[in-house]
Amino acid sequence: MKRQKRVALVNDITGFGRCSMTVELPIVSALKVEACPLPTALLSVHTAFPFPYIQDQTHIMEPYIENWRKHQVTFDGISTGFLGSKEQVAIVKKFIQDFSTDETVVIVDPVMGDWGKLYASYTKELSEEMKHLVPLADVITPNLTEASYLLDIPYLSEEEITMERLEKIAQALADKGPKQVIITGISREEKIGNFVYEKGEASSFIGTKKIGGERSGTGDVFTGIITGSIVRGDSLTTSVRKAVDFIGKALAYTETLNLPPAQGIAFEEFLTEL
């Protein structure tokens, strides 16, 4: 039976704030890939807002996956994002092992921290468990903080990082399993972008001019585009360039709306261009 490409999105669902799976679902769909959510948590607003309502979904994950199995659902891609406990990591690890074939692309976004520190919801124990997903990934998209925790190396600030050091970090991550590594959110003078590493290919920095300040959900927009593009067959470099260009355009538009940073980026305006 002919069908579109299909991807499982493993992430939290946030009601307001343009982040996580709420961002990824429309983006992956706009890229003409069928998107199937597997929620890890439900949030009324994301954690940059005060007093979010959060409901952990660990208890539904195994029967939810088992029901997919009964319906013989198969996936061309599996993309993972926020995981809230070591139990969830174990569930997702088994899900990847059970549902992956040689044709399945596994994208792991290790949502752990930023600016050299783990997020408040993350424990050292959980960050150790996240390392177990790296060997199962084909593509991994850490920022510098997450890369340093995954490799147990000191965090390098923007002033300390060089292309040579990025190459070594990416290669060390690739040596653990994933053939393609994107180190995200790297500032270089007036640009912000991503270090793209692929075994057997020349590495590159793909960036764009900085627009405004930090905004919630930018990484989720990026991962959504990478996921949809790679699963449908685009190259790594093409996928990253598409994501960078899209985010740059959406950020510029968002600045004209004067949206608070916690409300993310107004990506909806450009979905039809994907």
Side-chain angles (χ1 to χ4, degrees), residues 12 43 47 54 82-86 111-113 117-127:
D12 68 89
L43 290 82
T47 54
I54 303 173
F82 174 78
L83 302 177
S85 66
K86 66 177 185 178
V111 184
M112 299 165 66
K117 296 181 180 179
L118 293 173
Y119 293 131
S121 62
Y122 254 74
T123 63
K124 181 65 175 174
E125 181 182 40
L126 179 52
S127 69

Side-chain angles (χ1 to χ4, degrees), residues 25-39:
L25 280 168
I27 287 174
V28 170
S29 297
L31 287 161
K32 300 178 177 60
V33 174
E34 182 183 358
C36 304
L38 171 55

Side-chain angles (χ1 to χ4, degrees), residues 187 190 192 209-215 248 251-252 254-255 259 261:
S187 293
E190 297 301 314
I192 186 163
K209 184 180 178 181
K210 291 181 183 178
I211 302 171
E214 292 282 318
R215 283 196 169 272
L251 281 171
T254 302
E255 288 297 303
L259 287 181

Side-chain angles (χ1 to χ4, degrees), residues 149-167:
Y149 273 96
L150 292 173
L151 294 173
D152 290 316
I153 60 175
Y155 169 73
L156 296 174
S157 67
E158 291 179 1
E159 293 75 23
E160 297 172 301
I161 201 66
T162 63
M163 295 296 283
E164 290 76 17
R165 285 178 169 177
L166 285 168
E167 180 88 23

